[in-house]
């Protein structure tokens, strides 16, 4: 290997992993090494540019914390998260369309439990809305006891983990569907926001002349025994950024209207008073193959 050249280095590296016994790992690493080398050759990557990339990755690592994942944000803004989702989560008939997890998902204690019909608004300002629907099989049968994890931003555009003035767990909850597969909660209408650009990903977006805006949305992660987990988002259909999402997460079936509740009777049916908007959405889950 002492006579390795720019022409032979790729083969030399690939030979070192030829004995890898795990076939999928060998396939992935062979392809990754080959594409990385081809990329470096194609752009004739300089030492300074390589070092800038190493420093970028180091800063992405330093910026990543429990409640902010800069690696996911980098993946999101480069369209890799959307590509992986689109490759493997093709909605079949009756199953809901998936979308991105995003950098602000928190698994654990800050996801407080909420009963069906519970209130997420608390002392948040914003347009009140009731969100309701069912979790079902692809055939429309109710799935009782499905777990919905729900999170969204506040009127200032920030998630609770970004804004110290918010109470821990603000606008985040976990809810289990009732025996008819129903879920329902009151919240405020989410607002469009910029993904964090005070970190290395933001520096990259600015260097590329890109904006950081996402159209307003509510995040859902839905799990039930015997079904594939569903990660998705419901988007405000008339948002100004609906066709310019900085992380490429918008899918047509996930656009929802926030229509005004028109009568006391309709409000009562959803457990609220007049003055609320209404969003209804049913999530079909795919059975585990
Ligand atoms: Fe989000």
């Amino acid at each position: 290997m002492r006579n390795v050249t720019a022409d032979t280095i790729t083969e030399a590296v690939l030979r070192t992993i030829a004995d890898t016994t795990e076939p999928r790992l060998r396939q992935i690493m062979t392809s990754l090494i080959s594409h990385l080398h081809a990329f470096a050759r194609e752009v004739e990557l300089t030492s300074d540019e390589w070092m800038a990339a190493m420093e970028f990755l180091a800063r992405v690592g330093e910026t990543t914390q429990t409640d902010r994942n800069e690696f996911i944000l980098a993946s999101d803004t480069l369209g890799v998260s959307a590509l992986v989702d689109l490759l493997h989560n093709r909605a079949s008939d009756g199953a809901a369309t998936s979308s991105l997890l995003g950098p602000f998902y928190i698994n654990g204690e800050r996801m407080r439990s909420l009963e069906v019909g519970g209130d997420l608004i608390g002392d948040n300002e914003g347009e009140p809305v009731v969100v309701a629907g069912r979790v079902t099989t692809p055939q429309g049968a109710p799935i009782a006891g499905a777990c919905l994890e729900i999170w969204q931003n506040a009127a200032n555009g920030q998630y609770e983990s970004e804004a110290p003035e918010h109470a821990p767990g603000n606008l985040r909850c976990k809810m289990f569907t009732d025996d008819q597969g129903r879920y329902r909660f009151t919240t405020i209408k989410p607002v469009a926001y910029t993904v964090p650009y005070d970190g290395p990903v933001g520096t990259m977006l600015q260097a590329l002349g890109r904006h950081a805006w996402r159209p307003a949305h509510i995040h859902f992660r839905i799990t039930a025994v015997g079904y594939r987990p569903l990660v998705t988002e419901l988007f405000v259909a008339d948002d100004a950024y609906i066709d310019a999402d900085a992380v490429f997460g918008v899918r047509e079936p996930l656009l929802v209207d926030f229509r005004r509740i028109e009568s006391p009777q309709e409000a009562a049916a959803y457990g609220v008073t007049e003055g609320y908007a209404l969003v209804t959405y049913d999530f079909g889950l795919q059975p585990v193959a």
Side-chain angles (χ1 to χ4, degrees):
M1 213 183 284
R2 68 179 61 184
N3 293 319
V4 72
T5 69
D7 293 328
T8 63
I9 180 71
T10 306
E11 280 305 314
V13 177
L14 292 178
R15 273 198 300 276
T16 66
I17 65 167
D19 295 334
T20 308
T21 53
E22 168 46 69
R24 179 65 173 162
L25 177 63
R26 187 169 65 234
Q27 178 192 13
I28 287 174
M29 291 307 296
T30 299
S31 181
L32 177 66
I33 292 162
S34 302
H35 281 87
L36 276 175
H37 285 217
F39 155 73
R41 286 194 183 92
E42 180 181 317
V43 302
E44 296 188 49
L45 198 68
T46 67
S47 294
D48 286 349
E49 290 161 348
W50 170 83
M51 182 53 83
M54 297 303 105
E55 288 170 353
F56 172 80
L57 290 172
R59 281 190 290 129
V60 170
E62 290 161 8
T63 309
T64 295
Q65 300 160 11
T66 324
D67 49 16
R68 173 176 173 178
N69 193 320
E70 194 79 356
F71 281 105
I72 290 182
L73 186 60
S75 169
D76 290 354
T77 53
L78 294 175
V80 180
S81 310
L83 175 59
V84 172
D85 175 54
L86 290 165
L87 284 171
H88 294 288
N89 290 296
R90 297 185 184 94
S92 57
D93 287 346
T97 300
S98 58
S99 185
L100 308 183
L101 185 68
F104 296 120
Y105 172 67
I106 295 174
N107 183 3
E109 62 217 30
R110 291 235 291 277
M111 298 294 277
R112 65 195 163 96
S113 292
L114 211 61
E115 298 290 318
V116 174
D119 176 58
L120 262 189
I121 298 175
D123 58 3
N124 286 280
E125 296 185 352
E127 184 180 336
V129 51
V130 55
V131 184
R134 297 190 310 150
V135 178
T136 72
T137 69
Q139 293 75 33
I143 299 177
C147 177
L148 297 95
E149 293 167 279
I150 301 156
W151 66 106
Q152 68 164 82
N153 66 1
N156 66 358
Q158 293 185 308
Y159 288 80
E160 56 92 33
S161 49
E162 296 179 281
E165 69 268 27
H166 291 161
N170 186 44
L171 295 170
R172 297 180 186 271
C173 75
K174 180 183 287 192
M175 176 177 293
F176 292 91
T177 54
D178 67 14
D179 57 4
Q180 296 178 61
R182 294 177 301 195
Y183 73 90
R184 191 179 84 236
F185 59 98
T186 51
T187 185
I188 55 166
K189 189 176 181 178
V191 297
Y193 67 93
T194 56
V195 296
Y197 55 74
D198 59 344
V201 172
T203 304
M204 177 187 75
L205 293 178
Q206 288 171 23
L208 295 172
R210 283 179 54 177
H211 76 76
W213 284 90
R214 294 211 69 198
H217 56 270
I218 303 173
H219 290 273
F220 292 85
R221 182 175 181 273
I222 305 173
T223 50
V225 175
Y227 295 87
R228 291 179 56 183
L230 172 69
V231 173
T232 195
E233 306 168 80
L234 295 182
F235 293 91
V236 178
D238 59 357
D239 190 285
Y241 293 97
I242 202 72
D243 289 312
D245 184 2
V247 298
F248 313 99
V250 177
R251 312 281 177 264
E252 183 79 34
L254 300 176
L255 272 54
V256 292
D257 293 322
F258 286 64
R259 76 163 174 81
R260 301 296 293 178
I261 289 180
E262 288 162 5
S263 69
Q265 292 78 13
E266 186 178 34
Y270 287 101
V272 295
T273 54
E274 281 186 279
Y276 279 73
L278 173 66
V279 172
T280 56
Y281 203 86
D282 290 345
F283 298 98
L285 299 188
Q286 285 182 323
V288 174

